[in-house]
Amino acid sequence: MKAFQTIVNACATTVLLAGCASGLNRSKEEALNQKVGIVVHPVRDGVELRLQESALFDFDEASMRPESIAVLNRAAVLLKRSTRPIMVEGHTDNVGPFDYNQALSTARANAVGDALVARGVPAARIKTKGIAFLQPIATNDTPEGRALNRRVEILVKTETEETLLGQFKTK
């Protein structure tokens, strides 16, 4: 019986994903992401969703802002199109001591992970990790660079952009 249920679940997931991927309008999906400030791009191990701090948290806080609802709802929609493992990483700028930034980045990653679970993303797929300021994507020498470094990245391991956003339309 357990083997049968596993097969049924696998078939249902395959049908759901195939239906989602084939019916998605890539341009519309990208516009929805841009509207809420989510950047989606391929990375070596899968697909990354980048969420800026300003969309989720007040400066130096790990509690979610009320305005973060749209970003989190959109991220959950994208993540539920996949069955792959998810790593939620919190990042900070280099202002302040490492230990403080490590704790803040971990708390933010956990807050986003919890918010995604509350929106129907299976908790068993999600792992969280704080990175602090060890992986900057911009200079920490300017306010603009520091703002870019304060972010949460969601890596969907071994996934493709097409599953989350749909195929590119060829003309």
Side-chain angles (χ1 to χ4, degrees):
M1 181 65 176
K2 186 175 180 181
F4 177 73
Q5 187 62 41
T6 301
I7 292 169
V8 169
N9 288 343
C11 290
T13 299
T14 302
V15 168
L16 176 67
L17 290 176
C20 287
S22 65
L24 295 174
N25 177 324
R26 180 71 172 247
S27 297
K28 180 181 173 190
E29 295 296 318
E30 289 176 344
L32 290 169
N33 291 343
Q34 185 176 16
K35 183 177 177 182
V36 298
I38 295 176
V39 177
V40 178
H41 58 93
V43 293
R44 185 176 54 120
D45 297 333
V47 177
E48 179 182 270
L49 285 66
R50 184 173 296 154
L51 318 176
Q52 285 307 124
E53 171 209 45
S54 59
L56 301 172
F57 306 99
D58 287 326
F59 180 75
D60 204 30
E61 293 291 329
S63 300
M64 305 293 288
R65 298 173 67 219
E67 297 85 2
S68 67
I69 291 171
V71 177
L72 295 167
N73 288 345
R74 178 66 186 154
V77 166
L78 295 170
L79 295 171
K80 288 191 283 186
R81 292 177 180 160
S82 173
T83 59
R84 306 290 187 177
I86 297 167
M87 173 61 74
V88 179
E89 295 179 343
H91 297 264
T92 64
D93 61 26
N94 69 349
V95 176
F98 178 80
D99 290 344
Y100 177 81
N101 280 293
Q102 181 64 43
L104 178 62
S105 64
T106 299
R108 286 180 169 182
N110 289 337
V112 170
D114 292 344
L116 293 171
V117 169
R119 287 162 173 78
V121 179
R125 290 179 50 210
I126 299 174
K127 295 200 181 321
T128 60
K129 179 166 72 170
I131 306 293
F133 49 70
L134 297 177
Q135 295 177 7
I137 58 170
T139 181
N140 276 302
D141 296 334
T142 66
E144 297 82 12
R146 287 189 296 275
L148 290 172
N149 289 332
R150 296 187 301 263
R151 68 198 188 278
V152 173
E153 294 178 348
I154 302 171
L155 174 65
V156 186
K157 295 182 179 182
T158 67
E159 191 53 88
T160 66
E161 281 184 290
E162 287 75 22
T163 299
L164 303 183
L165 301 174
Q167 299 288 328
F168 281 109
K169 300 288 184 204
T170 57
K171 297 190 179 196

